[in-house]
Amino acid sequence: MSAQHSAEIKQQIQQWLEDVVIGLNLCPFAAKPNRNKQIKIHISEAESEEMLLEDIYQQLLELDQKPEDELETTLVVTPTLFADFDDYNQFLNLVDALIIQTGKEGIYQVASFHPDYCFYGTEPEDAENLTNRSPYPVFHLIREDSMERVLKHYPDPESIPERNIECVKKLTFEQRKALFPFLFKTAK
């Protein structure tokens, strides 16, 4: 992957982070680390699941080695793998197993985002899937201590998913096109 292509992907993820995740307040905890430049966007060039697991492991080690005030969280973006959401969703089990096998359970967790994200029991076109749709497949590596600390100061954190669903359901078609341009690409 060329440096220019990697930079374009990183820019798209940053735009999505700022306009969708932070702009719609889908994650009320993302604005501060983004403002403080504590979110790493790692573009993985892995061409196999094994290579990606190694890449994710290396990102976990980097989180281990850097203090929270320097690196809060990492988004591992996989532009060359997992075009199919079901394959991506299955791979999440391997990421969870990696976290357990390396003794990092309770230290890190992974949140998932994909261009075709579809929650169990929903139809692909259901608005609530927009809460987890991203320009490329993303594995968000989260420090559990940080999340617990922030949740203590957030009123009614259990309502976040419902609030997010209501937020995306209210978006007009034009707003959806502006916020999720990757969902409206025309075939060439």
Side-chain angles (χ1 to χ4, degrees):
M1 177 182 323
S2 72
Q4 179 181 352
H5 187 57
S6 182
E8 289 170 1
I9 293 168
K10 189 176 275 192
Q11 189 279 326
Q12 288 176 316
I13 294 293
Q14 186 67 41
Q15 193 72 47
W16 163 77
L17 177 65
E18 291 176 2
D19 292 350
V20 176
V21 177
I22 295 170
L24 295 177
N25 200 30
L26 298 182
C27 177
F29 323 116
K32 184 178 178 185
N34 185 61
R35 190 172 47 251
N36 294 338
K37 302 198 181 319
Q38 297 166 299
I39 299 175
K40 178 180 181 182
I41 299 173
H42 173 76
I43 310 301
S44 174
E45 295 186 23
E47 296 177 3
S48 70
E49 291 184 6
E50 293 80 13
M51 290 172 66
L52 180 57
L53 275 177
E54 177 61 30
D55 215 0
I56 290 171
Y57 177 66
Q58 292 302 319
Q59 296 308 307
L60 290 169
L61 290 178
E62 184 176 356
L63 283 165
D64 277 345
Q65 295 165 358
K66 293 191 176 177
E68 290 175 32
D69 61 351
E70 185 179 331
L71 179 60
E72 176 67 36
T73 192
T74 300
L75 302 174
V76 178
V77 184
T78 61
T80 57
L81 291 174
F82 302 118
D84 181 80
F85 174 68
D86 290 333
D87 292 342
Y88 168 87
N89 206 28
Q90 288 297 313
F91 184 77
L92 282 168
N93 293 327
L94 294 177
V95 176
D96 286 336
L98 173 70
I99 290 171
I100 292 167
Q101 289 173 351
T102 57
K104 299 191 184 312
E105 185 177 24
I107 299 170
Y108 300 109
Q109 62 179 270
V110 64
S112 54
F113 302 91
H114 190 279
D116 297 321
Y117 202 98
C118 189
F119 286 104
Y120 180 77
T122 66
E123 295 298 321
E125 63 278 357
D126 288 350
E128 61 211 70
N129 295 315
L130 292 173
T131 64
N132 285 61
R133 293 221 170 143
S134 57
Y136 297 94
V138 174
F139 299 91
H140 179 193
L141 306 176
I142 303 167
R143 294 178 190 265
E144 286 199 10
D145 283 350
S146 298
M147 183 62 67
E148 288 174 18
R149 238 184 344 271
V150 173
L151 285 173
K152 285 180 185 176
H153 303 291
Y154 191 84
D156 194 22
E158 295 80 21
S159 69
I160 293 172
E162 290 174 21
R163 185 183 49 79
N164 289 350
I165 291 168
E166 288 308 308
C167 175
V168 296
K169 281 183 175 180
K170 291 178 183 176
L171 295 174
T172 66
F173 178 75
E174 289 305 315
Q175 289 170 320
R176 288 181 189 195
K177 276 182 77 172
L179 292 169
F180 302 93
F182 53 91
L183 298 178
F184 295 91
K185 290 181 180 173
T186 57
K188 293 183 181 179

